[in-house]
Amino acid sequence: VQLVESGGGLVQAGGSLRLSCAASGFTLDDYLIGWFRQAPGKEREGVSCISGSDGTINTWYVDSVKGRFTISKDSAKSTVYLQLNSLKPEDTAIYYCAAAYGDDWLSSFADEYDYWGQGTQVTVSS
């Protein structure tokens, strides 16, 4: 099982980025995929997650990103995306994607995820 994040970078406040999480070694639709972030000196925080397939997709967002971030997935490409819009300096962090077995649940708790990527840095300047 491997998860590889990409798409991070430096952006001005109000800007946008699209993060990608490329999954391999397992069937994406069989797993819950979550995005987490960790800022310096802070605990890892659940940002968003997605599960399901075909006509039933379940998503969750932490309150601080609702209306600004959008999670989606392309099962054919085995990739999950996190679109970050209207970025704020407080969004600065390392963003990680993670996977947990099961296609019908959602979780914002890092301890419930089994596999993790290496992270991608997002820096938002004011």
Side-chain angles (χ1 to χ4, degrees), residues 62-98:
V62 69
D63 285 347
S64 60
V65 308
K66 284 181 180 178
R68 300 189 299 122
F69 292 7
T70 303
I71 192 169
S72 63
K73 64 176 179 176
D74 184 333
S75 299
K77 295 182 178 180
S78 199
T79 300
V80 173
Y81 303 98
L82 187 66
Q83 179 68 40
L84 286 57
N85 295 331
S86 302
L87 281 161
K88 304 175 181 180
E90 51 264 42
D91 294 318
T92 295
I94 299 175
Y95 283 70
Y96 301 89
C97 67

